Amino acid sequence: VQLQASGGGLVQPGGSLRLSCVGSGDTFGNYGIGWFRQVPGKEREFVAAIRWSTGATLYADSVKGRFTISRERAKNTAHLQMNSLKAEDMAVYYCAARSRWLVGGMTKAPDYDYWGQGTLVTVSS
């Protein structure tokens, strides 16, 4: 599967953005789809994941209550709605996919098989 992430941009603190991740070459069916973010000099950090077949979700503690991951089945697209953005949310955001949901996993980069290109989220006034 190929992943295409989009939706990044410049937003003020407290603002919102919605990222999208479109899959092509395969349908997400039984996949797990995740979002990670990375800032220079740091490891890629888990943000959220969704189990495509059931809609079950996982979130990093740092984004719980502010970010929402969702699926749009007809378009084979995952979204990450980001509200109440903070300066510390600024990063390059990546979407990732694993062909089968890993029970007890899905929060580490090595759990994923496929990666999209990043989309930059800048939070600044």
Side-chain angles (χ1 to χ4, degrees), residues 7-63:
L10 172 63
V11 63
Q12 292 185 345
S16 299
L17 277 177
R18 189 175 83 152
L19 306 183
S20 298
C21 176
V22 181
S24 60
D26 195 6
T27 54
F28 284 155
N30 293 312
Y31 278 58
I33 305 298
W35 286 97
F36 286 73
R37 63 189 182 187
Q38 190 169 26
V39 297
K42 290 193 174 183
E43 291 187 356
R44 203 162 287 192
E45 175 192 25
F46 170 75
V47 175
I50 187 165
R51 187 171 186 173
W52 203 259
S53 59
T54 65
T57 57
L58 295 171
Y59 293 96
D61 287 343
S62 59
V63 306

